């Protein structure tokens, strides 16, 4: 994410999203009532009355601003869409006041005008800028001739796979078994090569497959082997990927450890709840009570709630009293568990009872 213009007195910040993660951040910064402007394309029809039925008009690209009514992020298609009424644009091409959906795209500038930029929105922009400079990571969980890949992103984990080979068991005589293993490892390595800017690869799983794959990389894909490390897990597949995250290995490597850190924080909350501890609380009413008492050490808030003004005030209150605030992504399992607790929870310095 790059900030190309900022005037908070006028409530205007213009940014250029550079990664899919940046679009995800913007989906939580832009809210209903904001004026959002960006490049858009519309097919303009001939208004002379001489248009043929087969004439689909001319596609023109120009800047347009909409007063946002709805914002939606589609991580699987990489699209961020802002829908609302048109307030800015060439009046000879678009009728002001009509509805339009802006597709906010990578590398295109996005101008956001708000009545008020909260410090949490500003912090999120700065965090996105810092995160864009960090290396990304892959977790490859291998068990026998099946592999799953977890792509560590700021908003959560994208999964690729399973990638499956056709290797027979060791007790079964197979003339081409060695070739089948090579074919499987080659397909897996080529899949990994398809991801750009990967700086760390964790090869995980039970048994010997991860080590054999690492040796294959050393021989055939030395560039991948140089950024790979081995980690033993009790299972392959997504369970193996989750195990790596829970170990905190990604954080230790100084990569995109935010997800792993968030998941462990939520697990800390669940563990305290499971023990009927008096130093944990959850739900808006109870957390607000703890915040007013200055008892909150760490506040966990689901990202979907940050837009609410009363939640912003609560976050400010906790920080002003020396507590930490963690915004938890709703896209991973930890976020889903926090949502089940009402979207907000807190670890306390001391018992309130």
């Amino acid at each position: 994410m790059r900030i190309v213009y900022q005037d908070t007195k006028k409530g205007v910040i213009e940014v250029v999203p550079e990664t899919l993660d940046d679009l995800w951040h913007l989906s939580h910064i832009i809210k209903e009532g904001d004026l959002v402007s960006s490049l858009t394309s519309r097919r303009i029809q001939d208004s002379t009355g001489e248009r043929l039925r087969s004439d689909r008009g001319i596609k023109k690209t120009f800047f347009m601003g909409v007063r946002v009514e709805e914002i939606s992020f589609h991580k699987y298609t990489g699209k961020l869409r802002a829908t609302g009424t048109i307030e800015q644009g060439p009046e000879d091409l678009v009728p002001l006041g009509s509805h339009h959906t802006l597709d906010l795209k990578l590398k295109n500038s996005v101008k956001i005008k708000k009545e008020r930029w909260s410090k949490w929105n500003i912090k999120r922009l700065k965090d996105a800028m810092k995160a864009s400079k960090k290396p990304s990571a892959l977790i490859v969980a291998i068990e026998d001739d099946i592999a799953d890949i977890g792509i560590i992103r700021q908003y959560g984990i994208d999964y690729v796979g399973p990638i499956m080979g056709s290797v027979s068991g060791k007790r079964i005589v197979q003339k081409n078994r060695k070739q089948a293993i090579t074919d499987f490892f080659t397909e897996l390595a080529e899949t990994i090569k398809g991801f750009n800017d990967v700086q760390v690869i964790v090869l995980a799983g039970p048994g010997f497959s991860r080590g054999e794959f690492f040796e294959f990389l050393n021989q055939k894909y030395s560039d991948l082997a140089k950024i790979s490390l081995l980690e033993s897990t009790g299972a392959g597949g997504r369970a193996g990927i989750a195990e790596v995250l829970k170990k905190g290995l990604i954080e230790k490597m100084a990569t995109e450890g935010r997800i792993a850190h968030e998941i462990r924080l939520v697990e800390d909350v669940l563990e305290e709840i499971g023990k009927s501890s008096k130093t944990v609380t959850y739900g808006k009413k109870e957390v607000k009570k703890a915040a007013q008492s200055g008892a909150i050490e760490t506040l966990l808030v689901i990202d979907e709630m940050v837009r609410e003004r009363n939640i912003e005030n609560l976050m400010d209150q906790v920080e002003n009293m020396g507590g930490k605030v963690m915004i938890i992504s709703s896209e991973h399992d930890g976020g889903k568990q926090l949502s089940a607790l009402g979207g907000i929870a807190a670890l306390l310095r001391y018992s309130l009872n």
Side-chain angles (χ1 to χ4, degrees), residues 125-164:
L125 279 179
K126 290 180 178 178
D127 286 347
M129 291 175 65
K130 291 177 184 176
S132 65
K133 299 175 182 177
K134 294 180 181 179
S136 57
L138 293 182
I139 301 174
V140 183
I142 312 172
E143 186 170 11
D144 297 326
D145 61 346
I146 301 175
D148 282 84
I149 300 174
I151 310 165
I152 311 304
R153 300 191 186 278
Q154 293 170 49
Y155 58 76
I157 305 166
D158 282 343
Y159 294 99
V160 175
I163 297 167
M164 304 178 72

Side-chain angles (χ1 to χ4, degrees), residues 51-75:
R51 182 172 64 89
L52 298 175
R53 207 175 265 186
S54 61
D55 183 10
R56 297 179 61 235
I58 300 172
K59 192 173 184 180
K60 293 192 175 184
T61 301
F62 47 85
F63 270 91
M64 180 187 292
V66 300
R67 185 68 61 178
V68 176
E69 296 175 1
E70 183 182 355
I71 187 80
S72 58
F73 174 61
H74 307 271
K75 73 172 185 177

Side-chain angles (χ1 to χ4, degrees), residues 56 80 89 97 142 177-178 197 229 270 300 315 332 351:
R56 297 179 61 235
L80 177 61
I142 312 172
R177 188 174 189 278
K178 186 175 181 181
D197 303 321
L229 55 90
L270 295 174
L300 281 65
M315 291 160 66
H332 56 64
S351 170

Side-chain angles (χ1 to χ4, degrees), residues 13 18 23 36 51 64 76 87-88 123 125 143 149 163-164 174 185 187 213 223 232 263 286 301 331 339-340:
I13 295 180
E18 298 175 312
L23 293 180
V36 174
R51 182 172 64 89
M64 180 187 292
Y76 295 111
E87 289 196 10
Q88 295 176 346
K123 182 178 183 298
L125 279 179
E143 186 170 11
I149 300 174
I163 297 167
M164 304 178 72
Q174 181 184 338
F185 283 169
E187 181 182 359
F213 180 59
D223 54 333
S232 176
I263 289 172
E286 295 303 318
V301 182
E331 296 287 342
S339 292

Side-chain angles (χ1 to χ4, degrees), residues 17 32 56 102 109 111 151 159 182 185 208 240 293 322 336 341:
E32 183 180 348
R56 297 179 61 235
L102 280 177
S109 68
K111 185 181 291 185
I151 310 165
Y159 294 99
T182 299
F185 283 169
F208 301 103
S293 302
K336 291 176 175 62
L341 297 176

Side-chain angles (χ1 to χ4, degrees), residues 216-234:
F216 173 81
L217 292 181
N218 269 319
Q219 295 173 20
K220 304 289 186 179
Y221 295 84
S222 59
D223 54 333
L224 296 182
K226 288 176 184 177
I227 59 172
S228 297
L229 55 90
L230 298 172
E231 180 68 19
S232 176
T233 56

Side-chain angles (χ1 to χ4, degrees), residues 297-314:
E297 182 174 15
T298 305
L299 175 67
L300 281 65
V301 182
I302 200 75
D303 53 19
E304 296 167 341
M305 293 177 65
V306 177
R307 293 189 181 96
E308 301 176 24
R309 185 65 178 269
N310 60 333
I311 297 297
E312 282 189 0
N313 292 338
L314 181 62

Side-chain angles (χ1 to χ4, degrees), residues 106-342:
L106 298 179
K107 310 300 181 183
N108 281 356
S109 68
V110 179
K111 185 181 291 185
I112 307 164
K113 184 174 183 181
K114 292 177 174 286
E115 286 188 13
R116 171 183 169 272
W117 278 87
S118 73
K119 74 174 185 179
W120 297 104
N121 284 329
I122 298 294
K123 182 178 183 298
R124 189 153 200 159
L125 279 179
K126 290 180 178 178
D127 286 347
M129 291 175 65
K130 291 177 184 176
S132 65
K133 299 175 182 177
K134 294 180 181 179
S136 57
L138 293 182
I139 301 174
V140 183
I142 312 172
E143 186 170 11
D144 297 326
D145 61 346
I146 301 175
D148 282 84
I149 300 174
I151 310 165
I152 311 304
R153 300 191 186 278
Q154 293 170 49
Y155 58 76
I157 305 166
D158 282 343
Y159 294 99
V160 175
I163 297 167
M164 304 178 72
S166 55
V167 183
S168 297
K170 292 181 180 178
R171 295 181 181 178
I172 301 174
V173 177
Q174 181 184 338
K175 186 182 295 184
N176 297 320
R177 188 174 189 278
K178 186 175 181 181
Q179 184 60 47
I181 293 172
T182 299
D183 291 345
F184 169 56
F185 283 169
T186 300
E187 181 182 359
L188 182 55
E190 288 296 326
T191 302
I192 294 170
K193 277 190 70 175
F195 299 104
N196 296 322
D197 303 321
V198 173
Q199 310 244 340
V200 178
I201 302 167
V202 181
L203 304 180
F208 301 103
S209 297
R210 68 183 186 280
E212 292 172 354
F213 180 59
F214 181 66
E215 288 303 315
F216 173 81
L217 292 181
N218 269 319
Q219 295 173 20
K220 304 289 186 179
Y221 295 84
S222 59
D223 54 333
L224 296 182
K226 288 176 184 177
I227 59 172
S228 297
L229 55 90
L230 298 172
E231 180 68 19
S232 176
T233 56
R238 296 190 181 188
I241 293 170
E243 194 175 331
V244 172
L245 288 171
K246 288 177 183 177
K247 286 182 178 182
L249 185 64
I250 301 298
E251 282 175 307
K252 291 174 186 175
M253 295 184 299
T255 63
E256 295 290 354
R258 191 184 61 84
I259 303 302
H261 183 53
E262 288 180 13
I263 289 172
R264 283 212 307 281
L265 276 176
V266 175
E267 287 181 345
D268 288 346
V269 167
L270 295 174
E271 185 179 345
E272 292 301 309
I273 292 173
K275 294 189 297 186
S276 299
S277 171
K278 294 183 178 180
T279 56
V280 65
T281 189
Y282 57 93
K284 286 184 181 180
K285 184 177 179 181
E286 295 303 318
V287 170
K288 183 178 180 181
K289 179 181 174 183
Q292 290 172 341
S293 302
I296 295 180
E297 182 174 15
T298 305
L299 175 67
L300 281 65
V301 182
I302 200 75
D303 53 19
E304 296 167 341
M305 293 177 65
V306 177
R307 293 189 181 96
E308 301 176 24
R309 185 65 178 269
N310 60 333
I311 297 297
E312 282 189 0
N313 292 338
L314 181 62
M315 291 160 66
D316 288 339
Q317 185 178 22
V318 169
E319 205 172 58
N320 290 338
M321 291 187 175
K324 295 180 181 178
V325 177
M326 282 294 302
I327 299 172
I328 307 296
S329 169
S330 56
E331 296 287 342
H332 56 64
D333 289 342
K336 291 176 175 62
Q337 290 171 318
L338 182 59
S339 292
L341 297 176

